[in-house]
Amino acid sequence: MRRRKGPQLTALILGIAVPMAATLAYADDLPSSEKAEPAMKRGFAVGASMSATPMNEQGLFAAGFSLGYKIDRVFLAIGADGSRESGESAHSFDGSSKSEGWTTSFVVRSDVQITIVQGPGVELFGWAGVGMGKWTSRFGSAFAFGSAPEITEYTELSALRLELRAAPGIRWWVHPSFGANLSVGMEVDTFARLGSPAPDQLGRYPSNAASLLVNTGFLAVF
Amino acid sequence: MYDRTIERFALLAVGAVALLGTSPASAEPWKPPKTSPRSAQVRIGVGIEASAFVMAPVKSLSAYGGSILAGVKLDRVLVGLAFDYFAPPLGAVDFETVSTTAKRVEVQVALLRSSDARVEALWFGALGWSEGGSYVQEANYLNVTSSFGPWRTGAGVRFWPSRWVGLSATTGVVGYEDEYWDMDGRGSRSAVSLFSRFGVMGVLGW
């Protein structure tokens, strides 16, 4: 069942690149740099983006959303990320077995972006973000002969999560209220175990990771 | 199955390029002070949006894919029907899915607009249904049926470089439930995760 990923990745990259390219292509129709209206100095800002962290085992992709306020060269924002998976199964083979469990992970981030160099319609910015959250996993199983199994004991594991990001980026203001940005930097994702897990449970924790971070998205200021 | 995969993505790509290839010719140069907000975007019309999405990998859905949405735009509200393609998962997961497709009904509402109506902050909500499929998990063959979802809700931004073309980035939450059977028994799974997508929309109308 192994499948080649190349064409699909190419299509994904195309799917992301086309809107970005279109934004830049339309930007050619915008007023020339002498006439370009500068980006809005102040305002409530909404951003959506997608990230790739190719060296993080937890996942190649991440979604980004930020709500914040732009004050001249400084953009302050908060964002969040998280997921929850749960499952249960029942099997019978020389007896009956039942298992269930769930895993949740969330992180709340605060980001600051500071414009370092500002040109007509384009800016170079520095981006730093700190995120904190928690990872929790709970699971249990039971086995019985000749009767329905009942799960009486659950194992719960948890860890504090700290996420750090630092990246330079460029933003193209195609409209005073709308920018397209691309950042390339680093992301560090660490987990501090809570409690004293049994040695055979250590493998269930997510592993720490430091990875290249590529983030691209749009930002609107109102 | 694999050949169909390529065809579907090719269709997505061609659709996106076709939208971009036809619309800019009629796009007028942007003149912020002179452009009437009423002419900045089509208010009533029909549209098609092609998008690519990524999400944190969860065991019931793949990490990336593409969508085509066709809908009706009534000023700030867009209602559409969409087709999703979830590509097989990448990387360090202990299972492989076959390609999974889904359909959905989606509503988008522009909550905030810039004074010239070229920039919007939007909310969206969608409820989908998928056919499920067959799974290979740790060498066991599973039959999977979707019991609920994927559902989605989130927010994002859209820019109208011309009346007829909108470019958007949105981020939201996606959820999914399924049931599966193998030779020895049954199970169910659910997942909630964040996802984000980029879209190119072409709209015809008034």
Side-chain angles (χ1 to χ4, degrees), chain A residues 140-160:
Chain A
S141 61
F143 184 82
F145 286 105
S147 62
E150 284 295 323
I151 302 172
T152 55
E153 194 173 332
Y154 288 89
T155 301
E156 188 162 321
L157 307 175
S158 59
L160 287 178

Tab-separated table of all heavy atoms in Angstrom, chain A residues 140-160:
chain	number	residue	atom	x	y	z
A	140	GLY	N	-7.020	2.991	29.003
A	140	GLY	CA	-7.245	1.816	29.840
A	140	GLY	C	-7.694	0.652	28.987
A	140	GLY	O	-8.181	0.825	27.865
A	141	SER	N	-7.505	-0.577	29.513
A	141	SER	CA	-7.941	-1.748	28.765
A	141	SER	C	-8.321	-2.859	29.735
A	141	SER	O	-7.938	-2.843	30.911
A	141	SER	CB	-6.840	-2.215	27.799
A	141	SER	OG	-5.691	-2.565	28.519
A	142	ALA	N	-9.087	-3.798	29.259
A	142	ALA	CA	-9.522	-4.925	30.085
A	142	ALA	C	-9.691	-6.153	29.209
A	142	ALA	O	-9.916	-6.044	28.000
A	142	ALA	CB	-10.845	-4.575	30.770
A	143	PHE	N	-9.574	-7.305	29.840
A	143	PHE	CA	-9.696	-8.579	29.115
A	143	PHE	C	-10.496	-9.550	29.986
A	143	PHE	O	-10.324	-9.566	31.212
A	143	PHE	CB	-8.291	-9.146	28.837
A	143	PHE	CG	-8.301	-10.391	28.017
A	143	PHE	CD1	-8.400	-10.331	26.642
A	143	PHE	CD2	-8.229	-11.639	28.641
A	143	PHE	CE1	-8.418	-11.483	25.883
A	143	PHE	CE2	-8.247	-12.801	27.882
A	143	PHE	CZ	-8.344	-12.717	26.493
A	144	ALA	N	-11.385	-10.309	29.396
A	144	ALA	CA	-12.177	-11.265	30.178
A	144	ALA	C	-12.529	-12.471	29.323
A	144	ALA	O	-12.685	-12.357	28.107
A	144	ALA	CB	-13.454	-10.601	30.691
A	145	PHE	N	-12.651	-13.635	29.979
A	145	PHE	CA	-13.135	-14.848	29.300
A	145	PHE	C	-14.616	-15.005	29.595
A	145	PHE	O	-15.026	-14.921	30.756
A	145	PHE	CB	-12.399	-16.088	29.826
A	145	PHE	CG	-10.987	-16.195	29.323
A	145	PHE	CD1	-9.914	-15.910	30.154
A	145	PHE	CD2	-10.736	-16.573	28.009
A	145	PHE	CE1	-8.622	-16.012	29.695
A	145	PHE	CE2	-9.438	-16.671	27.541
A	145	PHE	CZ	-8.371	-16.393	28.381
A	146	GLY	N	-15.394	-15.189	28.574
A	146	GLY	CA	-16.786	-15.563	28.767
A	146	GLY	C	-17.704	-14.485	29.288
A	146	GLY	O	-18.866	-14.743	29.571
A	147	SER	N	-17.233	-13.279	29.485
A	147	SER	CA	-18.113	-12.196	29.946
A	147	SER	C	-17.616	-10.891	29.335
A	147	SER	O	-16.522	-10.825	28.777
A	147	SER	CB	-18.088	-12.092	31.480
A	147	SER	OG	-16.778	-11.786	31.918
A	148	ALA	N	-18.445	-9.862	29.471
A	148	ALA	CA	-18.060	-8.567	28.910
A	148	ALA	C	-16.990	-7.930	29.791
A	148	ALA	O	-17.177	-7.829	31.008
A	148	ALA	CB	-19.283	-7.660	28.833
A	149	PRO	N	-15.879	-7.526	29.232
A	149	PRO	CA	-14.816	-6.916	30.062
A	149	PRO	C	-15.191	-5.511	30.514
A	149	PRO	O	-15.861	-4.774	29.798
A	149	PRO	CB	-13.616	-6.884	29.115
A	149	PRO	CG	-14.186	-6.916	27.749
A	149	PRO	CD	-15.491	-7.645	27.823
A	150	GLU	N	-14.792	-5.171	31.726
A	150	GLU	CA	-15.021	-3.834	32.273
A	150	GLU	C	-13.677	-3.202	32.571
A	150	GLU	O	-12.826	-3.795	33.242
A	150	GLU	CB	-15.834	-3.911	33.570
A	150	GLU	CG	-17.310	-4.193	33.366
A	150	GLU	CD	-18.026	-3.073	32.626
A	150	GLU	OE1	-17.691	-1.898	32.874
A	150	GLU	OE2	-18.895	-3.382	31.780
A	151	ILE	N	-13.480	-1.980	32.091
A	151	ILE	CA	-12.217	-1.279	32.365
A	151	ILE	C	-12.333	-0.630	33.743
A	151	ILE	O	-13.211	0.197	33.977
A	151	ILE	CB	-11.930	-0.221	31.295
A	151	ILE	CG1	-11.874	-0.870	29.909
A	151	ILE	CG2	-10.620	0.508	31.581
A	151	ILE	CD1	-11.779	0.104	28.759
A	152	THR	N	-11.474	-1.028	34.652
A	152	THR	CA	-11.559	-0.497	36.020
A	152	THR	C	-10.413	0.450	36.343
A	152	THR	O	-10.479	1.191	37.304
A	152	THR	CB	-11.539	-1.645	37.039
A	152	THR	OG1	-10.369	-2.431	36.802
A	152	THR	CG2	-12.778	-2.517	36.902
A	153	GLU	N	-9.365	0.402	35.564
A	153	GLU	CA	-8.207	1.222	35.904
A	153	GLU	C	-7.691	1.933	34.653
A	153	GLU	O	-7.533	1.310	33.602
A	153	GLU	CB	-7.091	0.340	36.472
A	153	GLU	CG	-6.010	1.137	37.161
A	153	GLU	CD	-5.005	0.225	37.859
A	153	GLU	OE1	-5.384	-0.898	38.256
A	153	GLU	OE2	-3.849	0.632	37.973
A	154	TYR	N	-7.472	3.216	34.800
A	154	TYR	CA	-6.951	4.008	33.682
A	154	TYR	C	-5.572	4.545	34.036
A	154	TYR	O	-5.283	4.828	35.198
A	154	TYR	CB	-7.877	5.188	33.386
A	154	TYR	CG	-9.184	4.785	32.753
A	154	TYR	CD1	-10.278	4.455	33.546
A	154	TYR	CD2	-9.320	4.742	31.380
A	154	TYR	CE1	-11.480	4.087	32.975
A	154	TYR	CE2	-10.527	4.373	30.802
A	154	TYR	CZ	-11.601	4.050	31.600
A	154	TYR	OH	-12.784	3.678	31.040
A	155	THR	N	-4.755	4.672	33.051
A	155	THR	CA	-3.449	5.315	33.223
A	155	THR	C	-3.533	6.698	32.610
A	155	THR	O	-4.027	6.852	31.488
A	155	THR	CB	-2.357	4.507	32.505
A	155	THR	OG1	-2.340	3.197	33.037
A	155	THR	CG2	-0.996	5.162	32.686
A	156	GLU	N	-3.090	7.691	33.362
A	156	GLU	CA	-3.107	9.053	32.840
A	156	GLU	C	-1.694	9.623	32.875
A	156	GLU	O	-1.027	9.579	33.898
A	156	GLU	CB	-4.058	9.935	33.657
A	156	GLU	CG	-4.241	11.297	33.014
A	156	GLU	CD	-5.480	12.032	33.534
A	156	GLU	OE1	-6.517	11.384	33.750
A	156	GLU	OE2	-5.382	13.257	33.722
A	157	LEU	N	-1.258	10.135	31.763
A	157	LEU	CA	0.064	10.746	31.639
A	157	LEU	C	-0.132	12.193	31.213
A	157	LEU	O	-1.007	12.504	30.423
A	157	LEU	CB	0.900	10.033	30.571
A	157	LEU	CG	1.036	8.520	30.695
A	157	LEU	CD1	1.780	7.964	29.485
A	157	LEU	CD2	1.771	8.155	31.978
A	158	SER	N	0.704	13.076	31.751
A	158	SER	CA	0.593	14.469	31.321
A	158	SER	C	1.959	15.141	31.325
A	158	SER	O	2.888	14.703	32.012
A	158	SER	CB	-0.401	15.240	32.199
A	158	SER	OG	0.010	15.214	33.528
A	159	ALA	N	2.042	16.191	30.569
A	159	ALA	CA	3.305	16.935	30.455
A	159	ALA	C	2.994	18.395	30.157
A	159	ALA	O	2.016	18.694	29.472
A	159	ALA	CB	4.165	16.350	29.336
A	160	LEU	N	3.816	19.278	30.697
A	160	LEU	CA	3.718	20.682	30.330
A	160	LEU	C	4.427	20.882	29.003
A	160	LEU	O	5.441	20.227	28.723
A	160	LEU	CB	4.375	21.573	31.396
A	160	LEU	CG	3.624	21.742	32.712
A	160	LEU	CD1	4.440	22.605	33.657
A	160	LEU	CD2	2.254	22.351	32.469
